[in-house]
Amino acid sequence: MLIVMNKQATPSQIDAVVAAIEAKGCTARPIPGGDRVAIGVLNNKGAMATSFFMEFPGVKDAIPVTKPYKLVSREFQSESTVIQVGNVMIGNGHLVLIAGPCALESEKQALTIAGMVRKTGAQMFRGGAFKPRTSPYSFQGLGEEGLKILARVREETGMPVVTEAMDHEVFDLVEAYSDVVQIGARNMQNYSLLRRAGRAEKPILLKRGLSATIEEWLMAAEYILEGGNSQVILCERGVRTFAHHSRNTLDLSAIPVVTKESHLPVIIDPSHAAGRRDQVIPLSRAAVAVGAHGLMIVVHNVPEEALSDGAQSLYPEQFEELFNQVRSIYEVF
Ligand code: PEP
Ligand code: MN
């Protein structure tokens, strides 16, 4: 349930409602808004009577929240969340471009790609240091050495960096080095990792699981918000279907659904969805047209030699082409 206070509600009236919620064994979560405070009621066992809360002075409305996700929902917070990463804002109406290789391979490779994508117009850099690979024989990433490379990229280019924390064990390290911590598709329902992300001081980029419904994805985000971290960026990266003309099927319809259901920003990763570079530019155009707040694009200076995901990596000049095309579409909307 969401208790909406009057604009003139006093702090002691708010405290009284919080105390009443807690006395019922529930958790009260005050949510300051532009001109009034709302109080979320969490952890209630079963339905609660709205009439009980309507009796309290300063209460304007008590709204039952019908969705299983609460904190991430628009019912709880109608204003869109804007996440600031360095001087980049995500979700404020400007399209954010995140680009970089699938995996960090060397300092030279990372700095070369970072310089190229930044010159084109990318605002953030991506690169994996710990890689979730289907085969244990594939390149697993440089680990902490990769994180140090990311720190160098940030120092050289000024771009904030995003990289994946694959498990609980490396989360602290990844959090210390990165500006945004990615939780990958395979880990979307790793609840202990989500709980750790909930205690993080950095924003979390939460990818949609390979076969997750939108409800499951939003429930995963709910774990992070419930843990105390309200800075979550959702990322659609394709789901597994019967189609084999692409690695996954990019679910463009997720964007209007998620932006309606949730106040969190949502970006699209067309590279991991397609798995092939020839589909990345058209899918990026569609992603922007459908209302994504940003794009995350895999770019490599020599894709033929990439240690992971070479087939989906754009050449730097293709990234430039992508940038110009999506900018025009973005301006139209
Ligand atoms: C990645 O971003 O490199 C990655 C492994 O993505 P996903 O978790 O979406 O497969
Ligand atoms: Mn990858």
Side-chain angles (χ1 to χ4, degrees):
M1 186 180 302
L2 186 68
I3 319 284
V4 182
M5 302 300 292
N6 280 323
K7 281 184 192 165
Q8 299 80 11
T10 63
S12 65
Q13 288 174 338
I14 296 169
D15 289 348
V17 175
V18 168
I21 294 168
E22 285 170 355
K24 284 187 168 291
C26 305
T27 308
R29 184 66 67 88
I31 308 163
D35 57 358
R36 65 174 87 242
V37 170
I39 306 167
V41 184
L42 301 174
N43 299 322
N44 51 306
K45 319 267 177 292
M48 294 180 93
T50 53
S51 55
F52 172 77
F53 291 105
M54 293 303 293
E55 301 293 320
F56 282 78
V59 171
K60 180 175 182 284
D61 213 352
I63 307 164
V65 176
T66 49
K67 301 285 164 46
Y69 36 86
K70 314 282 180 203
L71 298 171
V72 305
S73 75
R74 282 229 187 250
E75 284 176 321
F76 252 49
Q77 181 187 313
S78 56
E79 295 145 51
S80 298
T81 290
V82 177
I83 294 176
Q84 180 160 11
V85 187
N87 53 10
V88 181
M89 305 289 246
I90 306 172
N92 74 342
H94 289 277
L95 184 72
V96 174
L97 283 187
I98 306 169
C102 172
L104 298 154
E105 298 166 8
S106 68
E107 184 172 304
K108 187 160 173 268
Q109 170 245 21
L111 287 172
T112 306
I113 299 170
M116 288 169 157
V117 297
R118 185 184 134 87
K119 198 164 141 243
T120 299
Q123 293 117 299
M124 280 175 69
F125 184 74
R126 65 145 285 147
F130 297 94
K131 296 303 306 172
R133 303 305 302 276
T134 304
S135 163
Y137 307 114
S138 301
F139 176 57
Q140 305 287 306
L142 295 178
E144 189 170 0
E145 194 193 327
L147 298 177
K148 289 184 177 152
I149 292 173
L150 279 180
R152 278 280 295 136
V153 168
R154 178 177 45 222
E155 200 179 291
E156 280 279 315
T157 65
M159 281 191 288
V161 296
V162 50
T163 195
E164 179 167 352
M166 241 172 52
D167 50 43
H168 218 270
E169 214 174 298
V170 299
F171 200 101
D172 289 0
L173 200 61
V174 172
E175 190 185 5
Y177 279 98
S178 66
D179 298 293
V180 173
V181 180
Q182 176 172 321
I183 294 193
R186 290 155 194 82
N187 266 322
M188 191 208 81
Q189 286 179 311
N190 179 339
Y191 297 111
S192 65
L193 193 62
L194 296 173
R195 287 214 185 277
R196 174 63 189 85
R199 296 193 301 275
E201 307 274 326
K202 301 269 169 79
I204 307 296
L205 181 80
L206 178 65
K207 288 198 155 192
R208 179 178 178 184
L210 272 66
S211 60
T213 62
I214 288 175
E215 187 173 305
E216 287 163 342
W217 187 20
L218 292 177
M219 289 306 282
E222 184 80 11
Y223 265 85
I224 304 173
L225 270 78
E226 200 273 331
N229 186 355
S230 56
Q231 308 207 87
V232 175
I233 304 154
L234 299 165
C235 179
E236 160 63 37
R237 47 78 73 209
V239 289
R240 185 162 287 191
T241 67
F242 52 83
H244 45 77
H245 56 271
S246 59
R247 184 173 171 186
N248 295 287
T249 298
L250 180 62
D251 183 8
L252 288 167
S253 67
I255 303 300
V257 175
V258 166
T259 47
K260 187 170 160 222
E261 291 291 313
S262 175
H263 52 84
L264 296 172
V266 55
I267 69 166
I268 283 190
D269 172 348
S271 306
H272 286 85
R276 322 169 21 157
R277 80 174 65 84
D278 62 335
Q279 296 175 5
V280 174
I281 294 179
L283 290 177
S284 299
R285 293 196 299 258
V288 173
V290 87
H293 298 114
L295 294 173
M296 185 155 82
I297 309 291
V298 176
V299 181
H300 200 288
N301 54 335
V302 198
E304 307 71 33
E305 289 173 16
L307 296 182
S308 72
D309 285 346
Q312 71 193 38
S313 305
L314 292 191
Y315 291 94
E317 50 284 8
Q318 287 182 302
F319 181 63
E320 229 175 289
E321 193 182 327
L322 179 150
F323 180 84
N324 291 328
Q325 292 192 16
V326 299
R327 196 177 46 184
S328 313
I329 291 176
Y330 185 72
E331 277 162 13
V332 169
F333 284 94

